[in-house]
C-alpha cells in the first residue's frame, strides 16, 4: 500500500520503519523535520496524504489531532482509511472520525500499548474503534506494526479501552509500590514479598512482569535506574484523560482521581523523565506524608 505517516517521533518512527520493511511505500511528515530511513520525506502534511491509500497519525494530544485532521482530511483521496494511533481524549477521537466521514473517508482510532520497545519490535497491541469496513482495511497494517489487535467497537472505542486499561495500570502500580514501601518498613524481604504476591491474590502485571523493586522479578526499568519504558508523565497524561472522560459521562472513579493526583505530585516533584514505576522510591522518600 501507499501510506502517509504523520508524526515520526519516538513511537511513529519505528512504526513507519516496520511498514517500510514489510514492503509498503511510506511517505512521512513530522513538524520537527525528522526523517526515517526508507521513508520518503514530505514537505507538508498534506503532501504525505494526497495519494495515500492509508494515513497513519501518531500525535501528542487531541488538539493537535483535530488541527492535523482539519488539514489532511480534505487532501486525502476518497476511500482512503485514516488510522490515528495517538492517545487522545475520546471526544477528539470522535471529532476526527466525523471529519473523515463527512468527506467519505474511512477512519479508525487505534491507540497502542507496548511502548517504544514494542514499536521497534513490531509487537504493539492496537485497541481499535470504528466501522467494520475501516477496521478490515487497516488490519493488515496493524498486523505489521503489532502482534495483537482488538476491535473494541464504534468510533472512540479504542481510546476508551486505552484509558480504562491505563487507569487500572496506574492504580495497580501505586498499590504495588505502597506494598513494597510498607514491606521495607516492616523489615520484610522484598524477594519474599514478591514470591508470595506473584503467586497469590495480589498477583498482577505490575508485580509479575514490571516489578518496581530493583533486583526482584523479571528485568524491568527498576533494574536500569528507572529509565523509562513508560514515562511517569505519560502515565499522568493517560490518568488525566481518564478523569476527563469520567467527568464527561458522570462516572465515579475515585481511585483514578487519587492516582492522577499522586502521579501529578510525582511528576512535579522530579519524576519527569523517569519510569512510572519510580513511584516506589518517591513513596519511600515521602514516608507517611502522602
Amino acid at each position: 500500500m501507499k501510506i502517509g505517516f504523520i508524526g515520526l517521533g519516538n513511537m511513529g518512527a519505528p512504526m513507519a520503519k516496520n511498514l517500510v520493511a514489510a514492503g509498503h511505500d511510506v511517505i512521512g511528515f513530522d513538524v520537527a523535520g525528522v526523517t526515517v530511513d526508507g521513508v520518503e520525506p514530505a514537505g507538508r502534511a498534506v503532501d504525505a496524504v494526497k495519494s495515500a491509500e492509508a494515513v497513519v497519525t501518531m500525535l501528542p494530544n487531541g488538539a493537535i489531532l483535530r488541527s492535523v485532521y482539519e488539514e489532511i482530511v480534505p487532501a486525502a483521496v476518497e476511500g482512503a482509511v485514516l488510522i490515528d494511533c495517538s492517545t487522545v481524549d475520546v471526544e477528539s477521537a470522535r471529532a476526527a472520525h466525523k471529519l473523515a466521514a463527512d468527506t467519505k473517508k474511512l477512519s479508525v482510532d487505534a491507540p497502542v500499548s507496548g511502548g517504544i520497545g514494542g514499536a521497534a519490535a513490531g509487537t504493539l497491541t492496537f485497541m481499535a474503534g470504528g466501522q467494520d469496513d475501516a477496521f478490515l482495511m487497516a488490519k493488515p497494517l496493524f498486523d505489521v506494526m503489532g502482534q495483537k489487535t482488538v476491535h473494541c467497537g464504534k468510533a472512540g472505542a479504542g481510546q476508551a479501552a486505552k484509558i480504562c486499561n491505563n487507569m487500572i495500570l496506574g492504580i495497580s502500580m501505586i498499590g504495588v509500590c505502597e506494598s513494597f514501601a510498607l514491606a521495607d518498613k516492616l523489615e520484610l524481604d522484598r524477594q519474599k514479598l514478591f514470591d508470595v504476591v506473584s503467586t497469590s491474590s495480589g498477583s498482577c502485571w505490575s508485580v509479575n512482569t514490571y516489578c518496581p523493586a530493583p533486583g526482584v522479578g523479571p528485568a524491568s526499568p527498576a533494574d536500569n535506574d528507572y529509565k523509562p519504558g513508560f514515562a511517569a508523565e505519560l502515565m499522568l497524561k493517560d490518568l488525566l484523560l481518564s478523569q476527563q472522560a469520567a467527568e464527561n459521562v458522570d462516572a465515579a472513579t475515585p481511585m483514578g482521581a487519587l492516582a492522577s493526583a499522586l502521579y501529578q505530585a510525582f511528576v512535579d516533584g522530579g519524576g519527569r523523565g523517569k519510569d512510572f514505576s519510580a513511584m516506589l522510591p518517591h513513596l519511600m522518600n515521602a514516608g507517611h506524608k502522602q
Side-chain angles (χ1 to χ4, degrees), residues 43-84:
R44 302 177 301 160
V46 292
D47 296 330
V49 309
K50 59 187 179 184
S51 60
E53 300 163 79
V55 177
V56 182
T57 47
M58 179 58 91
L59 302 166
N61 57 54
I64 292 174
L65 171 65
R66 290 175 188 244
S67 174
V68 168
Y69 261 53
E70 287 171 0
E71 181 182 357
I72 67 171
V73 167
V77 298
E78 187 172 324
V81 61
L82 292 94
I83 306 163
D84 180 51

Side-chain angles (χ1 to χ4, degrees), residues 11-240:
M11 292 292 293
M15 291 166 67
K17 191 174 291 188
N18 285 335
L19 291 171
V20 171
H24 294 290
D25 180 11
V26 183
I27 303 174
F29 173 79
D30 189 277
V31 69
V34 175
T35 58
V36 176
D37 288 345
V39 175
E40 180 183 341
R44 302 177 301 160
V46 292
D47 296 330
V49 309
K50 59 187 179 184
S51 60
E53 300 163 79
V55 177
V56 182
T57 47
M58 179 58 91
L59 302 166
N61 57 54
I64 292 174
L65 171 65
R66 290 175 188 244
S67 174
V68 168
Y69 261 53
E70 287 171 0
E71 181 182 357
I72 67 171
V73 167
V77 298
E78 187 172 324
V81 61
L82 292 94
I83 306 163
D84 180 51
C85 296
S86 319
T87 296
V88 302
D89 60 287
V90 175
E91 293 309 310
S92 289
R94 289 174 176 165
H97 276 281
K98 186 176 187 306
L99 283 168
D102 287 348
T103 55
K104 299 183 179 178
K105 280 100 182 183
L106 303 173
S107 59
V108 182
D109 60 288
V112 304
S113 178
I116 296 169
T123 57
L124 295 169
T125 294
F126 289 87
M127 294 148 270
Q131 298 298 320
D132 289 346
D133 51 352
F135 174 76
L136 290 173
M137 189 170 174
K139 179 67 163 55
L141 303 186
F142 296 145
D143 291 343
V144 169
M145 297 184 288
Q147 66 179 359
K148 183 174 182 180
T149 305
V150 179
H151 188 191
C152 299
K154 62 185 181 180
Q159 297 295 346
K162 173 71 183 284
I163 61 175
C164 288
N165 177 79
N166 280 17
M167 185 171 70
I168 293 171
L169 177 58
I171 293 168
S172 70
M173 181 56 79
I174 291 171
V176 170
C177 291
E178 288 183 354
S179 294
F180 273 99
L182 176 59
D184 285 356
K185 296 287 188 180
L186 296 173
E187 299 182 358
L188 172 62
D189 181 82
R190 287 180 170 185
Q191 183 63 52
K192 299 302 183 185
L193 177 62
F194 176 85
D195 292 344
V196 171
V197 173
S198 63
T199 56
S200 299
S201 56
S203 172
C204 62
W205 189 88
S206 295
V207 171
N208 294 35
T209 302
Y210 211 88
C211 187
V216 179
S220 73
D223 300 303
N224 192 28
D225 197 29
Y226 295 102
K227 291 179 181 174
F230 184 43
E233 59 267 29
L234 296 180
M235 172 53 77
L236 175 60
K237 171 190 171 182
D238 289 356
L239 286 168
L240 292 174

